[in-house]
Amino acid sequence: DIVMTQSPDSLAVSLGERATINCKSSQSVLYSSNNKNYLGWYQQKPGQPPKKLIYWASTRESGVPDRISGSGSGTDFTLTISSLQAEDVAVYYCQQYYTTSWTFGQGTKVEIK
Amino acid sequence: EVQLVESGGGLVQPGGSLRLSCAASGLTFSTCSMNWVRQAPGKGLEWVSYISSTSITIYYAESVKGRFTISRDNAKNSLYLQMNSLRDEDTAVYYCATSGGDYWGQGTLVTVSS
């Protein structure tokens, strides 16, 4: 299985400031035939199912605000919230779908400082 | 509007069985590969099982292999998870989700406890 490791486990950021979450995979999730990274990011708020924010490592889902962005390739990825808003308080997960047996990072809890 | 609605969760004793269902609407279910994903209380997300649109391809997490069976009925727009030999560590909210991760149900809680 591909192991996904996120850092940090939690972070507290002031409103309007930048939040950065890192995700590292135990093997590359870059598929050479199409040059796509099979990496997604999800946001989960209490009592709700996960919501997909980003796919192909950097493509925003429709309706996701442009303050949220994804970057990286191969084994190292980053989710950035450029200006934290109150509604961004949640747990964020990276996920690989390079294999049909998805694996997720352990989650990063984002709070307001 | 796409809707995935899970049902069938509840309290069951260790060693018992439970069958979860996921009713799909608003999408062409018969063309969608589907997954079950679970989340233990206060924990992260764990993929459980995958089934292709025609049921030809099926995968399980090692933690449930031999105990859980995924199936679907495209005529009924429904996905199932038969869970046998349940253990305490199977306690979780179980979500069904499309293969692209675009759509998730609200989840159904399975509690394994004596």
Side-chain angles (χ1 to χ4, degrees), chain A residues 19-53:
Chain A
T20 302
I21 301 169
N22 299 302
C23 174
K24 189 173 184 66
S25 58
S26 61
Q27 66 186 73
S28 176
V29 297
L30 174 63
Y31 194 39
S32 56
S33 66
N34 59 9
N35 202 37
K36 287 186 180 295
N37 288 284
Y38 283 60
L39 188 285
W41 289 95
Y42 289 80
Q43 176 192 67
Q44 188 179 32
K45 297 181 178 181
Q48 296 184 17
K51 173 189 173 185
K52 191 165 78 171
L53 300 175

Coordinates of all heavy atoms in Angstrom, one line a residue, chain A residues 19-53:
Chain A
A19 N -2.3 29.3 5.5 CA -2.1 27.9 6.1 C -1.6 27.0 5.1 O -2.0 27.0 3.9 CB -3.5 27.4 6.6
T20 N -0.6 26.2 5.5 CA 0.1 25.3 4.6 C 0.1 23.9 5.2 O 0.6 23.7 6.3 CB 1.5 25.8 4.3 OG1 1.5 27.1 3.7 CG2 2.2 24.8 3.3
I21 N -0.3 22.9 4.4 CA -0.4 21.5 4.8 C 0.5 20.7 3.8 O 0.3 20.9 2.6 CB -1.8 21.0 4.8 CG1 -2.7 21.8 5.8 CG2 -1.8 19.5 5.2 CD1 -4.2 21.5 5.7
N22 N 1.3 19.9 4.3 CA 2.2 19.0 3.5 C 1.7 17.6 3.5 O 1.2 17.1 4.5 CB 3.6 19.1 4.0 CG 4.1 20.5 3.9 OD1 4.2 21.2 2.8 ND2 4.6 21.1 5.0
C23 N 2.0 16.9 2.4 CA 1.6 15.5 2.2 C 2.7 14.8 1.5 O 3.1 15.3 0.4 CB 0.3 15.4 1.5 SG -0.3 13.7 1.1
K24 N 3.1 13.7 2.0 CA 4.2 12.9 1.3 C 3.7 11.5 1.1 O 3.2 10.9 2.1 CB 5.5 13.0 2.2 CG 6.7 12.4 1.5 CD 7.9 12.6 2.4 CE 9.2 12.1 1.7 NZ 9.5 12.9 0.5
S25 N 3.9 11.0 -0.1 CA 3.5 9.6 -0.4 C 4.8 8.7 -0.3 O 5.9 9.2 -0.6 CB 2.8 9.5 -1.7 OG 3.7 10.0 -2.7
S26 N 4.6 7.5 0.0 CA 5.7 6.5 0.2 C 6.3 6.1 -1.2 O 7.4 5.6 -1.2 CB 5.3 5.3 1.0 OG 4.2 4.6 0.3
Q27 N 5.5 6.3 -2.2 CA 6.0 6.1 -3.6 C 5.3 7.1 -4.5 O 4.3 7.7 -4.1 CB 5.8 4.7 -4.1 CG 4.3 4.3 -4.2 CD 4.1 2.9 -4.6 OE1 4.3 2.0 -3.8 NE2 3.8 2.6 -5.8
S28 N 5.9 7.3 -5.6 CA 5.4 8.3 -6.5 C 4.0 8.0 -7.0 O 3.6 6.9 -7.2 CB 6.3 8.5 -7.8 OG 5.7 9.4 -8.7
V29 N 3.1 9.1 -7.0 CA 1.8 8.9 -7.6 C 1.6 9.6 -8.9 O 0.5 9.9 -9.4 CB 0.7 9.4 -6.5 CG1 0.8 8.6 -5.3 CG2 0.9 10.9 -6.2
L30 N 2.8 9.9 -9.5 CA 2.8 10.5 -10.9 C 2.8 9.3 -11.9 O 3.7 8.5 -11.9 CB 4.1 11.3 -11.0 CG 4.3 11.9 -12.4 CD1 3.2 12.8 -12.8 CD2 5.7 12.6 -12.5
Y31 N 1.7 9.3 -12.7 CA 1.6 8.3 -13.7 C 2.2 8.8 -15.0 O 1.8 9.8 -15.6 CB 0.1 8.0 -14.0 CG -0.2 6.8 -14.7 CD1 0.5 5.6 -14.6 CD2 -1.3 6.8 -15.7 CE1 0.2 4.5 -15.3 CE2 -1.6 5.7 -16.4 CZ -0.8 4.5 -16.2 OH -1.1 3.4 -16.9
S32 N 3.3 8.2 -15.4 CA 4.2 8.7 -16.5 C 3.5 8.8 -17.8 O 3.7 9.7 -18.6 CB 5.4 7.9 -16.6 OG 5.1 6.5 -16.8
S33 N 2.5 7.9 -18.1 CA 1.9 7.9 -19.4 C 1.0 9.2 -19.7 O 0.9 9.5 -20.8 CB 1.0 6.7 -19.6 OG -0.1 6.7 -18.7
N34 N 0.5 9.8 -18.6 CA -0.3 11.0 -18.8 C 0.2 12.2 -18.1 O -0.4 13.3 -18.1 CB -1.8 10.7 -18.5 CG -2.0 10.3 -17.1 OD1 -1.1 10.3 -16.3 ND2 -3.2 9.9 -16.7
N35 N 1.3 12.0 -17.3 CA 2.0 13.0 -16.5 C 1.0 13.7 -15.5 O 1.0 14.9 -15.3 CB 2.5 14.1 -17.5 CG 3.6 14.9 -16.8 OD1 4.4 14.4 -16.0 ND2 3.6 16.2 -17.0
K36 N 0.2 12.8 -15.0 CA -0.8 13.3 -13.9 C -0.5 12.7 -12.6 O -0.1 11.5 -12.5 CB -2.2 13.0 -14.3 CG -2.8 13.8 -15.5 CD -4.2 13.5 -15.7 CE -4.8 14.3 -16.9 NZ -4.8 15.8 -16.6
N37 N -0.6 13.6 -11.6 CA -0.4 13.1 -10.2 C -1.8 12.7 -9.6 O -2.7 13.5 -9.6 CB 0.2 14.2 -9.3 CG 1.6 14.5 -9.6 OD1 2.5 13.7 -9.2 ND2 1.9 15.6 -10.3
Y38 N -1.9 11.4 -9.2 CA -3.1 10.9 -8.7 C -3.3 11.2 -7.3 O -3.3 10.3 -6.4 CB -3.2 9.4 -9.0 CG -3.5 9.1 -10.5 CD1 -2.6 9.5 -11.5 CD2 -4.6 8.4 -10.9 CE1 -2.9 9.3 -12.8 CE2 -4.9 8.1 -12.2 CZ -4.0 8.6 -13.2 OH -4.3 8.4 -14.5
L39 N -3.4 12.5 -7.0 CA -3.4 13.0 -5.6 C -4.6 14.0 -5.5 O -4.7 14.9 -6.3 CB -2.1 13.7 -5.3 CG -1.7 14.2 -3.9 CD1 -2.5 15.4 -3.5 CD2 -1.9 13.1 -2.9
G40 N -5.4 13.8 -4.4 CA -6.5 14.7 -4.2 C -6.4 15.2 -2.7 O -5.7 14.7 -1.9
W41 N -7.2 16.3 -2.5 CA -7.3 16.9 -1.2 C -8.8 17.0 -0.8 O -9.6 17.4 -1.7 CB -6.7 18.3 -1.1 CG -5.2 18.3 -1.2 CD1 -4.4 18.5 -2.3 CD2 -4.3 18.2 0.0 NE1 -3.1 18.5 -1.9 CE2 -3.0 18.3 -0.5 CE3 -4.5 18.0 1.3 CZ2 -1.9 18.2 0.3 CZ3 -3.4 17.9 2.1 CH2 -2.1 18.0 1.6
Y42 N -9.1 16.6 0.4 CA -10.5 16.7 0.9 C -10.5 17.6 2.1 O -9.6 17.6 2.9 CB -11.0 15.3 1.3 CG -11.2 14.4 0.1 CD1 -10.2 13.8 -0.6 CD2 -12.5 14.2 -0.4 CE1 -10.4 12.9 -1.7 CE2 -12.8 13.4 -1.5 CZ -11.7 12.8 -2.1 OH -12.0 12.0 -3.2
Q43 N -11.7 18.2 2.3 CA -12.0 18.9 3.5 C -13.2 18.2 4.2 O -14.2 17.9 3.6 CB -12.4 20.4 3.1 CG -12.9 21.3 4.2 CD -13.6 22.5 3.7 OE1 -14.6 22.4 3.1 NE2 -12.9 23.7 3.9
Q44 N -13.0 18.1 5.5 CA -14.1 17.5 6.3 C -14.4 18.3 7.5 O -13.6 18.6 8.3 CB -13.8 16.1 6.7 CG -15.0 15.3 7.3 CD -14.7 13.9 7.7 OE1 -13.6 13.6 8.1 NE2 -15.7 13.1 7.7
K45 N -15.7 18.7 7.6 CA -16.2 19.5 8.7 C -16.9 18.5 9.7 O -17.4 17.5 9.2 CB -17.1 20.7 8.3 CG -16.3 21.7 7.5 CD -17.1 22.8 7.0 CE -16.2 23.8 6.2 NZ -17.0 25.0 5.8
P46 N -17.0 18.9 11.0 CA -17.7 17.9 11.9 C -19.1 17.5 11.5 O -19.9 18.4 11.1 CB -17.7 18.8 13.2 CG -16.6 19.7 13.1 CD -16.5 20.1 11.6
G47 N -19.3 16.2 11.5 CA -20.6 15.7 11.2 C -21.0 15.6 9.7 O -22.1 15.3 9.4
Q48 N -20.0 15.9 8.9 CA -20.2 15.9 7.4 C -19.3 14.9 6.8 O -18.2 14.6 7.3 CB -19.9 17.3 6.9 CG -20.9 18.4 7.4 CD -20.7 19.7 6.7 OE1 -20.0 19.8 5.6 NE2 -21.2 20.8 7.3
P49 N -19.7 14.5 5.6 CA -18.7 13.6 4.8 C -17.6 14.5 4.2 O -17.7 15.7 4.2 CB -19.6 13.0 3.7 CG -20.7 14.1 3.5 CD -20.9 14.7 4.9
P50 N -16.5 13.8 3.8 CA -15.5 14.6 3.2 C -16.0 15.3 1.9 O -16.8 14.7 1.2 CB -14.4 13.5 2.8 CG -14.7 12.4 3.8 CD -16.2 12.4 3.9
K51 N -15.4 16.4 1.6 CA -15.7 17.1 0.4 C -14.4 17.3 -0.5 O -13.4 17.8 0.1 CB -16.2 18.5 0.7 CG -16.4 19.5 -0.5 CD -16.8 20.9 0.0 CE -16.8 21.8 -1.2 NZ -17.0 23.2 -0.7
K52 N -14.5 16.9 -1.7 CA -13.3 17.0 -2.5 C -13.0 18.4 -2.9 O -13.9 19.1 -3.4 CB -13.4 16.1 -3.8 CG -12.1 15.9 -4.5 CD -12.1 14.8 -5.5 CE -12.9 15.2 -6.8 NZ -12.7 14.1 -7.9
L53 N -11.8 18.8 -2.7 CA -11.4 20.2 -3.0 C -10.5 20.3 -4.3 O -10.7 21.1 -5.1 CB -10.5 20.8 -1.9 CG -11.2 21.0 -0.5 CD1 -10.1 21.5 0.5 CD2 -12.4 21.9 -0.6

